[in-house]
Amino acid sequence: MSDADRLGFFAGMEPAARRETLERTRMVRTRKGQALLSKGDRSTDVFFILDGRLQALLYSASGREISLRDLVEGDVFGEMAAIDEESRSASIVALTESRLLVMSRAEFRTALETSPGAAIWMMRHLTARIRSLTERVFELSALNVQSRLHCELLRMAAGSPNGLEIRPAPTHAELANRIGTHREAVTREMRALAAQNIIKAGRRRLEFIDLARLQTSVGLVALGSGDKAKTE
């Protein structure tokens, strides 16, 4: 199986169409910390991640970094600008060395128009994005910091290979950027979870010891947060 065969967008194509489409892509390699896209860019290429980890970011006027989502093997980014021809909606930075397939907007649109499998995969991908963003809007609007952190940790566990360990784990500052708070608040809550033997944190390593209790805590905290103003 080739690297591209692991990408859902291409897997749904007929073999001949997949082969022809892949011949018109190019591979790029990134170094850790490299910026691939910047918010407001007018480029329209689409990127498919073969391996590595990247991050979608926004920056406030004061320079504060806001993490939108992590991008890993099998993910795609840049598709929105290729679809609507508007400017880039976020910046993309490589967290590790990565390999990506790059497709032009014209080839991407042709693939969607001629391959039902690719089009259906893209619809499902975009639908999943909408659902995820809906959840995060709710969390930021209705839940306190403790509950938002617990929700983010559960998402991380669901996305890990075995659901029990994250390596490398995000820093407390990175977690704070994801949930809209500050590093000190995350550190306080992570220490509380460790004291309850729900998680175990090491150097860039996070182990989930009791996921059931973490899931329960999300429900309990959420129930109590509806009438309580967020304090962080």
Side-chain angles (χ1 to χ4, degrees):
M1 177 183 292
S2 69
D3 288 339
D5 288 334
R6 300 198 305 270
L7 300 173
F9 182 81
F10 298 98
M13 296 180 179
E14 293 295 325
R18 178 168 62 246
R19 185 167 53 253
E20 292 175 7
T21 302
L22 287 171
E23 287 175 353
R24 290 189 286 271
T25 65
R26 68 184 191 278
M27 183 185 295
V28 299
R29 296 177 183 269
T30 72
R31 64 184 183 278
K32 181 179 179 180
Q34 181 178 343
L36 280 83
L37 300 176
S38 296
K39 185 180 185 303
D41 284 355
R42 300 298 303 188
S43 60
T44 56
D45 284 345
V46 182
F47 299 77
F48 300 87
I49 303 174
L50 294 172
D51 54 54
R53 191 161 65 96
L54 302 95
Q55 193 170 51
L57 301 165
L58 291 175
Y59 298 94
S60 69
S62 63
R64 180 183 176 187
E65 183 180 279
I66 307 298
S67 173
L68 299 178
R69 61 188 177 113
D70 282 358
L71 298 155
V72 296
E73 177 183 326
D75 281 337
V76 57
F77 62 91
E79 74 282 9
M80 289 171 56
I83 291 172
D84 64 12
E85 299 182 67
E86 297 294 331
S87 61
R88 299 297 191 183
S89 61
S91 299
I92 305 291
V93 176
L95 298 177
T96 66
E97 292 184 353
S98 307
R99 291 187 307 139
L100 308 101
L101 284 183
V102 185
M103 180 184 292
S104 70
R105 172 185 174 273
E107 293 298 338
F108 176 70
R109 292 287 292 266
T110 297
L112 291 178
E113 292 167 359
T114 60
S115 174
I120 290 172
W121 185 90
M122 185 55 59
M123 286 192 292
R124 288 174 173 166
H125 161 75
L126 293 173
T127 300
R129 287 268 303 279
I130 293 170
R131 289 183 183 277
S132 176
L133 289 171
T134 300
E135 289 179 1
R136 292 191 65 175
V137 168
F138 169 77
E139 291 167 12
L140 289 168
S141 302
L143 303 184
N144 60 24
V145 168
Q146 182 187 37
S147 193
R148 298 203 305 272
L149 176 61
H150 293 188
C151 288
E152 183 63 29
L153 291 174
L154 287 172
R155 271 192 293 270
M156 290 166 54
S160 68
N162 57 18
L164 298 177
E165 184 179 85
I166 305 295
R167 188 194 295 263
T171 65
H172 290 184
E174 289 170 342
L175 282 172
N177 288 339
R178 294 183 188 184
I179 65 172
T181 187
H182 50 80
R183 180 181 58 79
E184 292 78 9
V186 170
T187 298
R188 182 174 62 247
E189 297 298 339
M190 293 290 280
R191 286 174 177 168
L193 289 171
Q196 297 171 58
N197 208 34
I198 293 175
I199 64 169
K200 182 179 180 181
R203 184 174 178 81
R204 299 312 304 268
R205 173 180 174 274
L206 178 62
E207 180 181 354
F208 296 94
I209 299 172
D210 196 338
L211 272 176
R213 286 179 63 197
L214 184 60
Q215 292 167 336
T216 300
S217 72
V218 168
L220 292 176
V221 175
L223 284 174
S225 65
D227 298 324
K228 182 173 66 175
K230 292 181 289 183
T231 60
E232 306 293 350

